[in-house]
Amino acid sequence: MPKLAALLPKVHFLSSSPDYASLPGDDGAEVAFAGRSNAGKSSVLNTLVNRKALAKISSAPGKTRHINLFGLDDAGRLRLADLPGYGYAKVSAAEQERWGRELTRYITERRSLKGVVVVMDIRHPLAESDRQMLTLCRTGGRRVHVLLNKADKLTGNRRAKAMAAAEKDLAFLAPGATLSPFSALKRSGRDELLSVLETWLTEDS
Ligand code: GDP
């Protein structure tokens, strides 16, 4: 695979699927982005690929949730998956239940899924819904990288403390998970994220 950084300018929209069954081919390698609504997942994705609006602003409450796939190479064998934001109280119970089933299938069954980046707000990480997401990833045997976004909101010392606290909690909740700070606003932490994605997307099988 060419260096991931060289592929990013080629990123293009592939598909938007309301359920697991309608996702396109499960070959190649895929990395998914998940996170609570408002943690900044869209901003992180846009910062990662240097686009203003690749990932659209979170869909309106009540709307059917979709898995959006973006291809990195021309053939679309290397992909980023943008999962719907979770923890949004106004989504109907029926839609939450439906989506919970689809997400469980995606995380546990998708063969090309190489890892999940879970975006959290560094000021309040590991909410109950984040913990559920981590548990699901563990059930599916998925690698996890936690991205503590909005790092610009904390000064050096408070940021280091927040990182250390999250690291300690993660050791219990998601053994083996890695974490790094990020700021979509300041565009910091991008290289570290790139290197995680590159490792995941280039491994064999
Ligand atoms: P999503 O719902 O997780 O996709 O979140 P968005 O990307 O729409 O971001 C939610 C809000 O947080 C928006 O007002 C963004 O401008 C803001 N935001 C996102 N990332 C950052 C960041 O790194 N720093 C700061 N200060 N604000 C951010």
Side-chain angles (χ1 to χ4, degrees), residues 36-43 58 149-150 152-153 183-185:
R36 284 168 77 199
S37 299
N38 216 39
K41 176 170 55 67
S42 308
S43 305
S58 349
N149 187 38
K150 308 196 187 183
D152 56 279
K153 295 270 194 186
S183 167
L185 187 77

Side-chain angles (χ1 to χ4, degrees), residues 46-144:
N46 291 333
T47 300
L48 176 70
V49 302
N50 281 323
R51 295 279 179 89
K52 280 211 168 72
L54 183 80
K56 303 246 170 60
I57 303 305
S58 349
S59 58
K63 238 180 116 183
T64 308
R65 291 148 162 216
H66 288 240
I67 299 173
N68 294 324
L69 293 185
F70 301 93
L72 292 169
D73 58 329
D74 289 337
R77 287 185 54 82
L78 299 172
R79 297 176 298 274
L80 303 177
D82 183 11
L83 303 178
Y86 49 76
Y88 196 79
K90 285 187 185 158
V91 174
S92 74
E95 171 60 11
Q96 278 192 42
E97 199 179 304
R98 184 199 74 83
W99 172 246
R101 282 195 304 272
E102 299 303 328
L103 178 67
T104 299
R105 282 198 71 185
Y106 177 77
I107 297 290
T108 57
E109 295 180 32
R110 184 86 168 154
R111 287 190 313 275
S112 55
L113 180 60
K114 301 298 182 186
V116 182
V117 176
V118 185
V119 179
M120 301 181 195
D121 185 323
I122 194 167
R123 296 166 300 173
H124 26 83
L126 296 162
E128 181 54 32
S129 52
D130 292 322
R131 290 166 191 254
Q132 286 170 9
M133 185 71 212
L134 295 173
T135 301
L136 178 56
C137 289
R138 198 171 175 181
T139 304
R142 300 303 183 182
R143 277 178 300 199
V144 168

Side-chain angles (χ1 to χ4, degrees), residues 2 6 19 45 51 108-109 112 125 127 132 145 148 159 191 197 202 205:
D19 50 33
L45 275 164
R51 295 279 179 89
T108 57
E109 295 180 32
S112 55
Q132 286 170 9
H145 185 76
L148 296 179
R159 188 184 305 174
D191 288 349
L197 299 188
T202 52
S205 90

